[in-house]
Amino acid sequence: MTTTPVPTLAFHDGHTIPQLGFGLYRVAPDEAERIVSDALEVGYRHIDTAALYGNEVGVGRAIAASGIPRDELFITTKLWNSDQGTQSAFDAIDLSLEKLGLESVNLYLIHWPVPSRDLFVETWKALEQIQADGKSTSIGVSNFRLSDLDRVLAETDTVPVLNQIELHPLFTQLPLREYGAAHGILTESWGPLGHAQVNIFDEGPVAAAAAAHGVSPAQAIIRWHLQNGLVVIPKSNSRERMAQNFDVFGFELSDAEVSAISALNRDHRSGGHPDEVGA
Ligand SMILES: NC(=O)c1ccc[n+]([C@@H]2O[C@H](COP(=O)([O-])OP(=O)(O)OC[C@H]3O[C@@H](n4cnc5c(N)ncnc54)[C@H](OP(=O)(O)O)[C@@H]3O)[C@@H](O)[C@H]2O)c1
């Protein structure tokens, strides 16, 4: 097995997260064990799943079969929208842990704010209890807008360690990143390669950086995330592409290449909008 060369980033709660992880969205339940086993063999030690994805059982089987010590793994799962609320959040984490076959996850996230239901502050307080109970080492949010983060900070005692949001060169999310930097909240990029919805690989600055370093466009984009201080969780069903996406520590983009890729931003959202998902 490969020893991971992945750097870690520090949470404000004293724990750390491997900056590069492996995403599990649209990984079929019956393929999850094989795909996560491949990812672990390739060297990934950070796995990002969610109750919604329906593949926590397969993730758990792959972890158990790997023989990798639990403290060498970083496992994230997420609370789905219909489970917002106090008791339903307690039930949801218990079900996720049962499916994963774990005593605790490293990071539990509220998947979407669902502002129309206005339950996310109450749900966040439930996550504080889940953390106090030792069922998740750290707690964070996903798809939270500036106004949602403002409310969590104003109305509760705990700052999320991280906000996982759609982020790629066509949607660079500077306002949320700057807010996170100011409040000690790391930013994690979902859909980092375009969420299988937009083609970023053929964009000029991406192709040019890839050619200059003799790597693929996907590798150049993953470096762009890493060099921007983001946590990044590309997904692939193919062992060859997951290995390629992990092989990103032997080259470095220049500042000019990073800037040119950042300048591709056109606030292009390829996934759901936090105003609407779950409404
Ligand atoms: N919090 C949220 O609301 C949210 C939403 C979406 C995603 N996520 C998380 O973020 C993770 C990543 O996002 P994502 O899965 O939506 O999209 P992504 O990682 O941006 O893109 C995945 C797509 O890129 C392809 N791909 C991967 N590596 C490649 C390579 N080296 N060359 C060419 N194509 C490549 C994959 O195809 P193959 O599989 O065929 O390689 C797949 O079609 C998810 O898996 C999930 O864990 C979270």
Side-chain angles (χ1 to χ4, degrees):
M1 258 180 222
T2 322
T3 307
T4 176
V6 176
T8 55
L9 295 181
F11 288 151
H12 68 69
D13 68 2
H15 297 282
T16 59
I17 182 169
Q19 200 182 355
L20 174 63
F22 183 74
L24 265 293
Y25 182 53
R26 292 203 200 95
V27 169
D30 60 345
E31 285 194 284
E33 183 176 355
R34 189 273 297 170
I35 287 172
V36 175
S37 295
D38 280 351
L40 294 172
E41 281 179 28
V42 161
Y44 292 89
R45 293 293 179 267
H46 166 185
I47 303 292
D48 183 89
T49 186
L52 173 76
Y53 305 165
N55 52 32
E56 288 169 312
V57 169
V59 172
R61 285 188 185 140
I63 291 170
S66 73
I68 297 169
R70 177 67 184 89
D71 63 2
E72 292 179 18
L73 295 170
F74 188 100
I75 310 297
T76 301
T77 196
K78 313 184 191 86
L79 173 129
W80 186 236
N81 301 336
S82 51
D83 291 324
Q84 287 210 20
T86 304
Q87 188 56 47
S88 37
F90 295 155
D91 294 342
I93 184 67
D94 285 346
L95 187 58
S96 282
L97 291 176
E98 186 187 326
K99 288 183 174 174
L100 287 163
L102 298 176
E103 298 287 317
S104 66
V105 287
N106 298 80
L107 180 61
Y108 198 42
L109 304 179
I110 301 178
H111 207 141
W112 292 89
V114 199
S116 61
R117 293 182 68 206
D118 197 19
L119 283 172
F120 65 83
V121 172
E122 177 187 331
T123 307
W124 181 250
K125 291 177 181 170
L127 262 65
E128 291 177 320
Q129 186 60 48
I130 285 165
Q131 182 180 31
D133 291 344
K135 294 179 180 179
S136 186
T137 308
S138 299
I139 52 174
V141 296
S142 179
N143 298 302
F144 272 40
R145 308 163 304 172
L146 293 172
S147 56
D148 306 326
L149 294 170
D150 274 341
R151 282 196 53 202
V152 168
L153 267 54
E155 297 176 36
T156 78
D157 297 328
T158 310
V159 176
V161 293
L162 165 156
N163 189 16
Q164 183 184 115
I165 53 177
E166 179 182 346
L167 200 160
H168 45 71
L170 304 185
F171 190 24
T172 54
Q173 296 264 32
L174 265 189
L176 275 169
R177 285 160 62 188
E178 285 169 0
Y179 184 104
H183 293 91
I185 304 169
L186 295 184
T187 300
E188 180 171 37
S189 307
W190 70 248
L193 303 175
H195 191 45
Q197 300 295 315
V198 284
N199 177 7
I200 309 172
F201 297 155
D202 293 337
E203 295 285 348
V206 172
H213 295 278
V215 298
S216 73
Q219 289 172 305
I221 293 170
I222 292 167
R223 268 311 306 179
W224 175 86
H225 288 274
L226 295 171
Q227 290 182 223
N228 273 299
L230 302 161
V231 182
V232 59
I233 45 172
K235 168 264 175 191
S236 180
N237 281 1
S238 139
R239 183 170 175 138
E240 188 194 334
R241 285 190 287 280
M242 58 177 89
Q244 185 193 109
N245 297 345
F246 195 72
D247 183 16
V248 289
F249 298 100
F251 69 101
E252 195 167 340
L253 301 181
S254 67
D255 291 346
E257 287 167 334
V258 171
S259 299
I261 295 173
S262 299
L264 289 170
N265 179 52
R266 26 193 195 266
D267 293 338
H268 182 106
R269 194 184 288 280
S270 68
H273 195 295
D275 289 350
E276 291 154 11
V277 173

